Amino acid sequence: MSSSLTESLIPEGKLLVHIAENGHSFELDCDETTLVEAVMQSIELAAGIHFNDQLVLCADMKLEPQRPLSAYKLPSSDREVFIFNKPRLQTNSPPPPPEQVDIVEVSEPRPPASSSDPHPLDDASDPALKALPSYERQFRYHCQRGHVIYNRTLAKFDHCERLLREQKVQERALEVARGNLDQYYRMIHQNCSEFMKRYKQQHRFHSDLLANFEKDMHKLRSTKLHPTLQTATRKCLLDFVKEDNLRKSAENCNGSHRQFENKVVQFNQMFADVKRRVEDLFTSRAPFPIRNLELTIKEHQRYLNEQKSIMQSLRFALLVYTFFPPIHLK
Protein backbone atom coordinates (compact mmCIF):
# COMPACT_ATOMS: atom_id res chain seq x y z
CA MET A 1 0.00 0.00 0.00
CA SER A 2 1.41 3.37 -0.98
CA SER A 3 0.26 6.93 -0.44
CA SER A 4 0.57 10.19 -2.31
CA LEU A 5 -0.99 13.62 -2.35
CA THR A 6 -4.17 13.50 -4.38
CA GLU A 7 -4.99 15.76 -7.28
CA SER A 8 -8.58 15.44 -8.51
CA LEU A 9 -10.35 12.34 -9.76
CA ILE A 10 -9.52 9.09 -8.04
CA PRO A 11 -8.62 6.20 -10.35
CA GLU A 12 -9.86 2.70 -9.78
CA GLY A 13 -8.07 0.80 -7.03
CA LYS A 14 -7.32 3.98 -5.09
CA LEU A 15 -8.78 5.07 -1.77
CA LEU A 16 -8.99 8.80 -1.14
CA VAL A 17 -8.25 9.59 2.50
CA HIS A 18 -8.43 13.08 4.02
CA ILE A 19 -6.97 14.31 7.30
CA ALA A 20 -9.71 16.42 8.87
CA GLU A 21 -7.53 18.65 11.04
CA ASN A 22 -5.36 20.04 8.24
CA GLY A 23 -7.06 19.06 4.97
CA HIS A 24 -4.14 16.97 3.71
CA SER A 25 -5.16 14.23 1.29
CA PHE A 26 -3.68 10.87 0.39
CA GLU A 27 -4.35 8.29 -2.28
CA LEU A 28 -3.84 4.76 -0.99
CA ASP A 29 -3.34 1.76 -3.24
CA CYS A 30 -5.77 -0.86 -1.96
CA ASP A 31 -8.71 -3.06 -2.90
CA GLU A 32 -11.95 -4.25 -1.33
CA THR A 33 -10.15 -6.95 0.68
CA THR A 34 -7.91 -4.43 2.44
CA LEU A 35 -8.70 -4.11 6.13
CA VAL A 36 -9.52 -0.71 7.57
CA GLU A 37 -6.71 -1.18 10.09
CA ALA A 38 -4.21 -1.36 7.20
CA VAL A 39 -5.46 2.04 6.03
CA MET A 40 -5.09 3.40 9.57
CA GLN A 41 -1.55 2.06 9.81
CA SER A 42 -0.64 3.77 6.53
CA ILE A 43 -2.10 7.04 7.79
CA GLU A 44 -0.16 6.70 11.02
CA LEU A 45 3.06 6.51 9.01
CA ALA A 46 2.10 9.22 6.51
CA ALA A 47 0.35 11.76 8.76
CA GLY A 48 1.71 10.94 12.22
CA ILE A 49 -1.71 10.31 13.81
CA HIS A 50 -1.47 7.43 16.28
CA PHE A 51 -3.50 4.37 15.34
CA ASN A 52 -5.62 4.46 18.52
CA ASP A 53 -6.29 8.19 18.07
CA GLN A 54 -7.90 7.79 14.66
CA LEU A 55 -11.63 8.09 14.09
CA VAL A 56 -12.41 6.92 10.56
CA LEU A 57 -15.62 8.16 8.92
CA CYS A 58 -17.10 7.78 5.48
CA ALA A 59 -20.39 9.58 4.87
CA ASP A 60 -22.53 8.61 7.88
CA MET A 61 -20.56 5.45 8.68
CA LYS A 62 -17.85 4.80 11.22
CA LEU A 63 -15.28 2.38 9.83
CA GLU A 64 -14.20 -0.40 12.19
CA PRO A 65 -10.52 -1.47 12.03
CA GLN A 66 -11.13 -5.22 11.80
CA ARG A 67 -13.52 -5.03 8.84
CA PRO A 68 -12.55 -5.00 5.14
CA LEU A 69 -13.21 -2.00 2.92
CA SER A 70 -15.80 -4.01 0.99
CA ALA A 71 -18.08 -3.84 4.06
CA TYR A 72 -18.40 -0.11 3.35
CA LYS A 73 -18.46 -0.39 -0.47
CA LEU A 74 -14.92 0.92 -0.69
CA PRO A 75 -12.77 1.80 -2.48
CA SER A 76 -15.03 3.92 -4.65
CA SER A 77 -14.29 6.85 -6.94
CA ASP A 78 -17.15 8.90 -5.48
CA ARG A 79 -16.62 8.24 -1.76
CA GLU A 80 -14.15 9.94 0.55
CA VAL A 81 -12.73 8.72 3.83
CA PHE A 82 -11.98 11.21 6.60
CA ILE A 83 -9.55 10.62 9.46
CA PHE A 84 -10.24 12.57 12.65
CA ASN A 85 -7.67 12.91 15.41
CA LYS A 86 -9.57 12.04 18.60
CA PRO A 87 -7.48 14.23 20.96
CA ARG A 88 -8.25 17.21 18.69
CA LEU A 89 -11.97 16.63 19.23
CA GLN A 90 -11.76 17.36 22.95
CA THR A 91 -13.21 20.66 24.14
CA ASN A 92 -9.97 22.10 25.53
CA SER A 93 -7.57 20.49 23.08
CA PRO A 94 -4.92 22.75 21.50
CA PRO A 95 -5.31 23.58 17.80
CA PRO A 96 -3.18 21.73 15.25
CA PRO A 97 0.18 23.30 14.40
CA PRO A 98 0.15 26.09 11.80
CA GLU A 99 0.43 25.00 8.20
CA GLN A 100 3.97 25.19 6.88
CA VAL A 101 4.30 27.13 3.64
CA ASP A 102 7.75 26.75 2.11
CA ILE A 103 8.38 29.28 -0.62
CA VAL A 104 11.77 29.16 -2.29
CA GLU A 105 13.04 32.70 -2.46
CA VAL A 106 14.79 33.37 -5.76
CA SER A 107 17.30 36.19 -5.52
CA GLU A 108 16.78 39.05 -7.93
CA PRO A 109 19.48 39.80 -10.52
CA ARG A 110 22.03 42.48 -9.80
CA PRO A 111 21.68 45.84 -11.53
CA PRO A 112 23.70 45.94 -14.76
CA ALA A 113 27.18 47.42 -14.94
CA SER A 114 29.05 48.34 -18.11
CA SER A 115 32.31 46.99 -16.70
CA SER A 116 30.94 43.45 -16.43
CA ASP A 117 28.97 43.58 -19.68
CA PRO A 118 30.93 45.59 -22.28
CA HIS A 119 29.28 46.63 -25.53
CA PRO A 120 30.80 47.83 -28.84
CA LEU A 121 28.86 51.09 -28.60
CA ASP A 122 30.16 51.98 -25.13
CA ASP A 123 32.86 54.14 -26.77
CA ALA A 124 30.71 55.59 -29.54
CA SER A 125 31.18 59.30 -30.15
CA ASP A 126 27.50 59.89 -30.75
CA PRO A 127 25.70 60.33 -27.36
CA ALA A 128 22.55 58.70 -28.72
CA LEU A 129 24.44 55.60 -29.82
CA LYS A 130 26.43 55.54 -26.61
CA ALA A 131 23.17 55.44 -24.61
CA LEU A 132 21.89 52.36 -26.44
CA PRO A 133 24.01 49.81 -24.47
CA SER A 134 22.72 51.27 -21.22
CA TYR A 135 19.14 50.94 -22.43
CA GLU A 136 19.79 47.36 -23.50
CA ARG A 137 21.32 46.43 -20.15
CA GLN A 138 18.41 48.01 -18.30
CA PHE A 139 15.94 46.22 -20.54
CA ARG A 140 17.59 42.85 -19.94
CA TYR A 141 17.75 43.57 -16.21
CA HIS A 142 14.05 44.43 -16.00
CA CYS A 143 13.19 41.38 -18.09
CA GLN A 144 15.17 39.10 -15.76
CA ARG A 145 13.76 40.80 -12.67
CA GLY A 146 10.22 40.48 -14.04
CA HIS A 147 10.83 36.77 -14.65
CA VAL A 148 11.88 36.31 -11.01
CA ILE A 149 8.84 38.21 -9.72
CA TYR A 150 6.52 36.23 -11.97
CA ASN A 151 7.92 32.87 -10.83
CA ARG A 152 7.68 33.99 -7.20
CA THR A 153 4.06 35.07 -7.71
CA LEU A 154 3.26 31.80 -9.47
CA ALA A 155 4.68 29.78 -6.56
CA LYS A 156 2.66 31.77 -4.02
CA PHE A 157 -0.48 31.42 -6.12
CA ASP A 158 0.03 27.65 -6.28
CA HIS A 159 0.26 27.62 -2.47
CA CYS A 160 -2.97 29.61 -2.24
CA GLU A 161 -4.76 27.11 -4.47
CA ARG A 162 -3.40 24.20 -2.42
CA LEU A 163 -4.50 25.78 0.86
CA LEU A 164 -7.92 26.47 -0.65
CA ARG A 165 -8.26 22.79 -1.60
CA GLU A 166 -7.30 21.80 1.94
CA GLN A 167 -9.84 24.20 3.44
CA LYS A 168 -12.50 22.68 1.18
CA VAL A 169 -11.52 19.28 2.57
CA GLN A 170 -11.89 20.64 6.11
CA GLU A 171 -15.30 22.04 5.20
CA ARG A 172 -16.45 18.63 3.93
CA ALA A 173 -14.97 17.01 7.04
CA LEU A 174 -17.12 19.29 9.20
CA GLU A 175 -20.22 18.21 7.29
CA VAL A 176 -19.31 14.54 7.71
CA ALA A 177 -18.67 15.09 11.43
CA ARG A 178 -22.01 16.87 11.83
CA GLY A 179 -23.80 14.04 10.05
CA ASN A 180 -22.12 11.44 12.24
CA LEU A 181 -22.89 13.46 15.37
CA ASP A 182 -26.52 13.84 14.35
CA GLN A 183 -26.85 10.09 13.76
CA TYR A 184 -25.17 9.26 17.07
CA TYR A 185 -27.28 11.81 18.93
CA ARG A 186 -30.48 10.37 17.47
CA MET A 187 -29.41 6.93 18.64
CA ILE A 188 -28.65 7.98 22.23
CA HIS A 189 -31.81 10.11 22.29
CA GLN A 190 -33.87 7.07 21.34
CA ASN A 191 -32.06 4.90 23.91
CA CYS A 192 -32.61 7.54 26.57
CA SER A 193 -36.31 7.83 25.74
CA GLU A 194 -36.77 4.06 25.91
CA PHE A 195 -34.85 3.88 29.18
CA MET A 196 -36.94 6.64 30.77
CA LYS A 197 -40.16 4.98 29.63
CA ARG A 198 -39.12 1.68 31.19
CA TYR A 199 -37.75 3.42 34.28
CA LYS A 200 -41.01 5.27 34.97
CA GLN A 201 -42.95 2.02 34.79
CA GLN A 202 -40.58 0.22 37.16
CA HIS A 203 -40.28 3.26 39.43
CA ARG A 204 -44.05 3.46 39.83
CA PHE A 205 -44.27 -0.28 40.55
CA HIS A 206 -41.44 -0.22 43.10
CA SER A 207 -42.76 2.95 44.75
CA ASP A 208 -46.15 1.29 45.24
CA LEU A 209 -44.51 -1.75 46.81
CA LEU A 210 -42.52 0.36 49.26
CA ALA A 211 -45.44 2.66 50.05
CA ASN A 212 -47.73 -0.30 50.81
CA PHE A 213 -45.17 -2.27 52.80
CA GLU A 214 -46.69 -1.55 56.22
CA LYS A 215 -50.20 -2.17 54.89
CA ASP A 216 -49.07 -5.53 53.47
CA MET A 217 -47.40 -6.39 56.78
CA HIS A 218 -50.62 -5.56 58.58
CA LYS A 219 -52.58 -7.83 56.23
CA LEU A 220 -50.16 -10.69 56.90
CA ARG A 221 -50.47 -10.12 60.63
CA SER A 222 -54.26 -9.89 60.59
CA THR A 223 -54.72 -12.97 58.43
CA LYS A 224 -55.06 -15.76 61.00
CA LEU A 225 -54.31 -19.37 60.24
CA HIS A 226 -56.96 -22.07 60.46
CA PRO A 227 -57.05 -23.39 64.04
CA THR A 228 -55.88 -26.81 62.90
CA LEU A 229 -52.78 -25.19 61.32
CA GLN A 230 -51.89 -22.99 64.25
CA THR A 231 -48.92 -23.83 66.44
CA ALA A 232 -47.24 -22.16 69.36
CA THR A 233 -45.10 -20.06 66.99
CA ARG A 234 -47.42 -19.73 64.00
CA LYS A 235 -50.71 -17.96 64.51
CA CYS A 236 -50.87 -15.81 61.33
CA LEU A 237 -49.32 -15.56 57.86
CA LEU A 238 -46.67 -13.13 59.11
CA ASP A 239 -45.27 -15.88 61.32
CA PHE A 240 -44.11 -17.75 58.19
CA VAL A 241 -41.48 -15.09 57.42
CA LYS A 242 -38.76 -13.45 59.47
CA GLU A 243 -40.23 -10.03 60.07
CA ASP A 244 -36.93 -8.41 61.07
CA ASN A 245 -35.21 -9.63 57.90
CA LEU A 246 -38.15 -8.53 55.78
CA ARG A 247 -38.12 -5.05 57.32
CA LYS A 248 -34.37 -4.80 56.85
CA SER A 249 -34.74 -5.80 53.18
CA ALA A 250 -37.48 -3.20 52.75
CA GLU A 251 -35.25 -0.56 54.33
CA ASN A 252 -32.37 -1.49 52.01
CA CYS A 253 -34.68 -1.44 49.00
CA ASN A 254 -35.99 1.96 50.01
CA GLY A 255 -32.42 3.31 50.25
CA SER A 256 -31.46 1.82 46.88
CA HIS A 257 -34.67 3.22 45.42
CA ARG A 258 -33.79 6.76 46.54
CA GLN A 259 -30.18 6.39 45.34
CA PHE A 260 -31.33 5.23 41.93
CA GLU A 261 -33.77 8.15 41.79
CA ASN A 262 -30.86 10.53 42.37
CA LYS A 263 -28.80 8.79 39.69
CA VAL A 264 -31.62 9.16 37.20
CA VAL A 265 -31.99 12.84 38.09
CA GLN A 266 -28.26 13.33 37.45
CA PHE A 267 -28.54 11.37 34.22
CA ASN A 268 -31.40 13.57 33.04
CA GLN A 269 -29.40 16.68 33.86
CA MET A 270 -26.40 15.36 31.92
CA PHE A 271 -28.54 14.41 28.95
CA ALA A 272 -30.27 17.79 29.00
CA ASP A 273 -26.85 19.45 28.89
CA VAL A 274 -25.77 17.20 26.00
CA LYS A 275 -29.02 17.97 24.17
CA ARG A 276 -28.54 21.71 24.66
CA ARG A 277 -24.95 21.60 23.42
CA VAL A 278 -25.85 19.51 20.38
CA GLU A 279 -28.74 21.78 19.47
CA ASP A 280 -26.52 24.85 19.92
CA LEU A 281 -23.93 23.25 17.67
CA PHE A 282 -26.44 22.70 14.88
CA THR A 283 -28.17 26.07 15.21
CA SER A 284 -25.09 28.26 15.61
CA ARG A 285 -23.00 27.09 12.69
CA ALA A 286 -20.27 29.64 12.10
CA PRO A 287 -19.98 30.69 8.45
CA PHE A 288 -16.99 29.20 6.71
CA PRO A 289 -16.09 31.76 4.00
CA ILE A 290 -14.68 29.24 1.56
CA ARG A 291 -16.79 30.56 -1.30
CA ASN A 292 -15.59 34.13 -0.76
CA LEU A 293 -12.00 32.95 -0.56
CA GLU A 294 -12.37 30.95 -3.75
CA LEU A 295 -13.81 33.96 -5.57
CA THR A 296 -10.95 36.15 -4.33
CA ILE A 297 -8.37 33.69 -5.64
CA LYS A 298 -10.15 33.48 -9.00
CA GLU A 299 -10.27 37.26 -9.22
CA HIS A 300 -6.53 37.46 -8.63
CA GLN A 301 -5.92 34.96 -11.40
CA ARG A 302 -6.25 37.84 -13.85
CA TYR A 303 -3.28 39.61 -12.26
CA LEU A 304 -1.24 36.48 -12.80
CA ASN A 305 -2.41 36.36 -16.41
CA GLU A 306 -1.40 40.01 -16.84
CA GLN A 307 2.07 39.26 -15.48
CA LYS A 308 2.35 36.31 -17.84
CA SER A 309 1.33 38.48 -20.80
CA ILE A 310 3.87 41.14 -19.85
CA MET A 311 6.62 38.54 -19.55
CA GLN A 312 5.76 37.11 -22.96
CA SER A 313 5.93 40.61 -24.49
CA LEU A 314 9.27 41.30 -22.83
CA ARG A 315 10.72 38.00 -24.02
CA PHE A 316 9.50 38.65 -27.55
CA ALA A 317 10.96 42.17 -27.58
CA LEU A 318 14.26 40.86 -26.25
CA LEU A 319 14.27 38.11 -28.87
CA VAL A 320 13.66 40.64 -31.64
CA TYR A 321 16.42 42.88 -30.33
CA THR A 322 18.83 39.94 -30.13
CA PHE A 323 18.31 38.81 -33.72
CA PHE A 324 17.75 42.25 -35.20
CA PRO A 325 20.10 44.64 -33.35
CA PRO A 326 20.16 48.33 -34.28
CA ILE A 327 22.45 49.30 -37.16
CA HIS A 328 25.78 50.54 -35.84
CA LEU A 329 26.56 53.81 -37.55
CA LYS A 330 30.20 54.76 -37.91
Side-chain angles (χ1 to χ4, degrees):
M1 181 180 296
S2 64
S3 63
S4 62
L5 189 63
T6 187
E7 291 295 333
S8 53
L9 296 178
I10 306 303
E12 186 176 355
K14 299 281 188 179
L15 180 69
L16 180 58
V17 181
H18 300 300
I19 309 301
E21 67 181 49
N22 54 26
H24 293 178
S25 302
F26 298 90
E27 281 183 15
L28 304 183
D29 293 322
C30 54
D31 55 37
E32 63 275 2
T33 63
T34 304
L35 296 180
V36 175
E37 64 179 357
V39 174
M40 297 171 67
Q41 290 167 354
S42 295
I43 292 300
E44 181 175 11
L45 294 175
I49 302 177
H50 193 274
F51 183 93
N52 293 329
D53 290 338
Q54 295 181 35
L55 172 63
V56 188
L57 300 180
C58 179
D60 57 351
M61 299 178 296
K62 177 184 176 183
L63 277 58
E64 299 297 338
Q66 69 278 8
R67 304 191 68 182
L69 293 176
S70 59
Y72 308 100
K73 299 180 180 179
L74 294 170
S76 174
S77 59
D78 59 348
R79 308 190 80 177
E80 302 172 300
V81 174
F82 293 88
I83 304 290
F84 292 82
N85 192 346
K86 292 179 183 178
R88 300 286 187 201
L89 302 179
Q90 302 300 320
T91 303
N92 298 321
S93 64
E99 186 71 15
Q100 295 294 325
V101 179
D102 299 323
I103 299 178
V104 179
E105 291 293 339
V106 181
S107 58
E108 296 186 6
R110 294 181 179 180
S114 58
S115 59
S116 60
D117 186 18
H119 193 279
L121 295 180
D122 285 337
D123 299 326
S125 57
D126 189 332
L129 291 177
K130 191 173 183 178
L132 285 177
S134 176
Y135 294 153
E136 180 184 348
R137 294 188 191 99
Q138 288 293 329
F139 185 82
R140 290 182 182 276
Y141 167 69
H142 287 300
C143 185
Q144 294 170 356
R145 188 166 181 264
H147 182 70
V148 170
I149 294 174
Y150 173 73
N151 286 338
R152 189 183 300 162
T153 304
L154 189 62
K156 292 181 179 180
F157 194 82
D158 289 341
H159 280 293
C160 289
E161 290 186 320
R162 176 180 65 83
L163 294 174
L164 175 63
R165 288 195 301 270
E166 292 175 355
Q167 287 197 357
K168 286 183 176 180
V169 167
Q170 291 177 304
E171 185 179 41
R172 296 198 301 274
L174 282 174
E175 291 302 320
V176 169
R178 287 192 184 99
N180 182 262
L181 176 62
D182 181 61
Q183 183 184 37
Y184 185 70
Y185 172 72
R186 290 176 184 272
M187 180 183 67
I188 63 174
H189 186 276
Q190 181 179 355
N191 291 340
C192 179
S193 299
E194 293 176 355
F195 166 78
M196 289 304 301
K197 180 180 179 181
R198 179 63 175 168
Y199 165 75
K200 289 178 180 179
Q201 294 174 350
Q202 292 295 324
H203 181 269
R204 184 166 52 251
F205 176 70
H206 293 162
S207 296
D208 290 342
L209 285 177
L210 292 172
N212 295 323
F213 177 75
E214 290 298 336
K215 185 185 295 185
D216 293 337
M217 293 291 289
H218 177 72
K219 288 181 179 179
L220 291 175
R221 185 179 293 108
S222 60
T223 304
K224 302 298 182 180
L225 296 176
H226 191 275
T228 58
L229 298 177
Q230 293 183 4
T231 65
T233 57
R234 293 180 177 176
K235 303 294 185 181
C236 61
L237 289 179
L238 185 60
D239 294 334
F240 283 89
V241 297
K242 295 181 179 181
E243 183 177 355
D244 291 342
N245 291 345
L246 196 59
R247 289 187 177 278
K248 187 172 182 61
S249 296
E251 183 180 354
N252 292 337
C253 287
N254 194 38
S256 298
H257 186 73
R258 289 194 301 269
Q259 289 180 3
F260 195 68
E261 277 183 338
N262 294 333
K263 291 292 184 182
V264 172
V265 170
Q266 295 175 9
F267 170 76
N268 277 329
Q269 292 174 346
M270 291 175 60
F271 183 76
D273 182 60
V274 170
K275 181 180 179 181
R276 177 186 57 79
R277 291 166 62 184
V278 170
E279 291 176 349
D280 289 346
L281 179 64
F282 284 111
T283 57
S284 61
R285 295 170 59 176
F288 206 50
I290 291 294
R291 181 59 180 167
N292 295 339
L293 180 59
E294 185 175 10
L295 291 175
T296 301
I297 291 178
K298 287 183 178 180
E299 289 174 359
H300 283 73
Q301 176 71 50
R302 64 186 180 91
Y303 298 114
L304 194 64
N305 294 336
E306 289 177 2
Q307 288 190 26
K308 183 178 181 180
S309 178
I310 292 172
M311 288 305 305
Q312 289 175 343
S313 298
L314 288 174
R315 290 196 190 97
F316 179 75
L318 185 60
L319 185 65
V320 171
Y321 183 87
T322 301
F323 285 96
F324 303 99
I327 299 175
H328 297 171
L329 299 177
K330 295 184 179 179

